[in-house]
Amino acid sequence: LWASLLLATAGLGARGLIPPLPRLYLPSLKWALDNVRIVVAVALILLAMAAVAYSLTGKTFMPTMDEGNIIIQLEKLPSISLDRSTDIDLRVQRALLEQVPEVTRIVARAGSDEIGLDPMGLNETDSFMVLKPRAEWRMDSKEELLDALRAVMEQFPGVSYGFTQPIEMRVSEMLTGVRGDVAIKLFGDNSTILSRKAQEIADVVARLDGSRDVTSKQNEGVQYLSVKIDRLAAGRLGLSVDEIESLLRSQLEGRVVGTVYEDLRRVPLLIRGEQSDFHDLQISLPDGKFTALSSIARLQREEGPVMVEREMGNRYSVISAYVGGRDLVGFVDEAKQAVRDNVELPVGYRLEWGGQFENQQRAAQRLAIVVPVAIVLVFLLLFSTFKSVRQSVLVLTNIPFALIGGIFALWLSGEYLSVPASIGFIALLGIAVLNGVVMLTYFNQLVATGMPIAQVVIEGSRRRLRPVMMTASIAAFGLVPLLFASGPGSEIQRPLAIVVIGGLVSSTLLTLLLLPSLYRRYGSDKHV
């Protein structure tokens, strides 16, 4: 369908649009040649305005792709039992299915082993929700659906939650090890201080505009039985600390005392003590008698961390947040300032900002290297073609003016500067350089015939009008379907199309009006 429409549009354009173009273009070109300073001034003003618009454009790593499904991540108290955790999960699932009819099915997973990419405790649950087709929803957008889900989750106090998507969750885990658009890692030595400061940071970030589902990993609250051995009392009975620790380990974990062979299988024989009250646990003495563990040790229950996580040898705690309704980089900048103003970190404690923000920073650094290198290589190719530094620079002047339309289009559309948009800018630069090469090559051919330079720029521009317009229009029409696409992945394609189409407008106008004026001044036969 799109191919037919594009062919029809191209046919109508060839019959109805192209013939009047020279009649409109030649007067404009002559005016531009007579008023070079005005044209250059307007171009420079537009370039300065584009720089301002660029500073006002939000920046992010990748647009959020709508995968069609939602995952809700639940986190309960760390000391919760498996039965209690699954009971809460079932209650949450029933409430979601009853109160949000857009959800048709839910598959939940409580906890996971340490072999995978995302080890979770029994207090953590991933609930995969299957949704109805978009046409059957009561609401108009996915954000309204998430608000309805949040309203249900508010009925379960004490349960932290966050929303993500299957692919988005896996990509975040593989790239950064943390789920969420922003991951704040707090490094320090003391687990208690880490948990307390992490909660303070989470409270500050949650108050920022655009923050969604801010969570701080609950790492305290597990009950431990602390056994502090009285060395003097144990020594009087002929026991060492190592012997007592070995007995307690055997009581809890068991001890392998042999192997049972069943055909080709070998099964270890494990002896383990009865799970009884440790206060009444009897310890055998060297003389064959027994004594209670409580007579040689002090037993008490203590709260401690669920796990001790380390990165590069340092303990850390993670605060994760999702960002909605604003750009990622602007949110992180505001969050950094808010945390500096409201949270005082002890000496030796530090923060690292990661997640999708880390990916955005890494991509920006790479583009800052790749784009200049690409421009240098393009300049070398142009120099090998024209054998003139002046003319090579003239072609490269199309690059900043091509950016004008792309930046304004991105700003006016409300899209953010992301990796797809950056790729669109790179593609736009190639088209702009190509049009410049087409113009200057034909100018040089006319100059070689002895035609006066004043006539060269007018005649050459008139004859190259159609090729330049065809190059720009084909690229623009080819990207029009991406502007109106609504299927999976359209969120990633749209910024690229916006940048290229907007940039082609400014690039084509300035190529047709500004480049001939600059060529007449700096690229005539005496400079060739």
Side-chain angles (χ1 to χ4, degrees), residues 449-496:
T449 63
M451 183 179 294
I453 190 66
Q455 187 178 353
V456 164
V457 292
I458 295 177
E459 185 65 19
S461 299
R462 184 183 67 82
R463 294 183 182 180
R464 295 296 95 182
L465 173 62
R466 187 186 298 264
V468 170
M469 291 298 298
M470 287 182 64
T471 302
S473 60
I474 288 173
F477 281 133
L479 293 175
V480 166
L482 301 185
L483 291 177
F484 304 100
S486 58
S490 60
E491 299 86 357
I492 297 177
Q493 300 167 350
R494 191 175 297 113
L496 185 149

Side-chain angles (χ1 to χ4, degrees), residues 233-513:
R236 286 193 296 267
L237 297 175
L239 295 174
S240 67
V241 175
D242 291 340
E243 290 174 337
I244 298 175
E245 290 178 348
S246 178
L247 288 171
L248 294 178
R249 183 176 294 108
S250 301
Q251 180 76 16
L252 285 175
E253 302 175 0
R255 177 183 298 176
V256 178
V257 296
T259 303
V260 177
Y261 293 89
E262 297 179 359
D263 296 330
L264 297 179
R265 293 187 303 167
R266 292 183 298 178
V267 181
L269 182 60
L270 184 71
I271 295 180
R272 185 167 56 193
E274 182 181 359
Q275 299 295 326
S276 58
D277 188 357
F278 269 72
H279 289 83
D280 300 329
L281 180 64
Q282 297 295 310
I283 302 295
S284 61
L285 303 177
D287 58 3
K289 297 181 180 179
F290 293 88
T291 185
L293 177 63
S294 57
S295 65
I296 57 174
R298 186 172 73 255
L299 287 79
Q300 60 185 16
R301 291 192 173 275
E302 298 178 350
E303 285 191 358
V306 179
M307 66 176 69
V308 177
E309 296 181 292
R310 297 180 184 272
E311 185 174 293
M312 304 296 292
N314 298 317
R315 291 185 179 184
Y316 74 95
S317 182
V318 178
I319 305 96
S320 61
Y322 291 89
V323 180
R326 62 179 300 183
D327 66 298
L328 181 61
V329 175
F331 176 85
V332 172
D333 291 340
E334 183 180 349
K336 286 182 177 180
Q337 186 62 44
V339 171
R340 281 195 296 266
D341 295 341
N342 297 281
V343 180
E344 183 178 355
L345 296 179
V347 177
Y349 288 73
R350 59 186 175 87
L351 290 175
E352 286 187 5
W353 298 76
Q356 295 295 332
F357 169 75
E358 183 181 5
N359 296 331
Q360 189 277 335
Q361 295 291 295
R362 190 183 298 115
Q365 292 173 0
R366 291 179 179 175
L367 287 172
I369 298 174
V370 171
V371 173
V373 171
I375 292 176
V376 171
L377 293 176
V378 170
F379 174 79
L380 294 176
L381 291 174
L382 292 173
F383 181 76
S384 65
T385 300
F386 296 111
K387 301 298 187 294
S388 169
V389 174
R390 288 176 178 268
Q391 293 190 1
S392 301
V393 173
L394 282 180
V395 174
L396 290 181
T397 56
N398 275 356
I399 291 179
F401 297 122
L403 300 179
I404 294 175
I407 294 174
F408 276 120
L410 207 61
W411 177 58
L412 293 174
S413 64
E415 294 284 347
Y416 300 139
L417 180 63
S418 57
V419 172
S422 301
I423 295 174
F425 278 115
I426 295 174
L428 181 62
L429 302 185
I431 300 173
V433 170
L434 176 61
N435 283 337
V437 171
V438 169
M439 294 284 285
L440 260 67
T441 301
Y442 195 70
F443 288 167
N444 290 339
Q445 292 176 2
L446 295 179
V447 168
T449 63
M451 183 179 294
I453 190 66
Q455 187 178 353
V456 164
V457 292
I458 295 177
E459 185 65 19
S461 299
R462 184 183 67 82
R463 294 183 182 180
R464 295 296 95 182
L465 173 62
R466 187 186 298 264
V468 170
M469 291 298 298
M470 287 182 64
T471 302
S473 60
I474 288 173
F477 281 133
L479 293 175
V480 166
L482 301 185
L483 291 177
F484 304 100
S486 58
S490 60
E491 299 86 357
I492 297 177
Q493 300 167 350
R494 191 175 297 113
L496 185 149
I498 290 174
V499 166
V500 174
I501 294 175
L504 285 174
V505 175
S506 63
S507 173
T508 304
L509 288 175
L510 293 172
T511 298
L512 294 174
L513 297 178

Side-chain angles (χ1 to χ4, degrees), residues 70 100 138-139 141-154 161 163 212-213:
I70 297 176
V100 185
R138 298 170 300 168
M139 53 281 296
S141 65
K142 190 173 183 178
E143 189 61 34
E144 294 181 13
L145 175 61
L146 293 178
D147 290 338
L149 296 174
R150 291 188 181 98
V152 177
M153 292 306 307
E154 293 300 325
Y161 62 90
F163 296 98
R212 299 285 189 274
D213 311 324

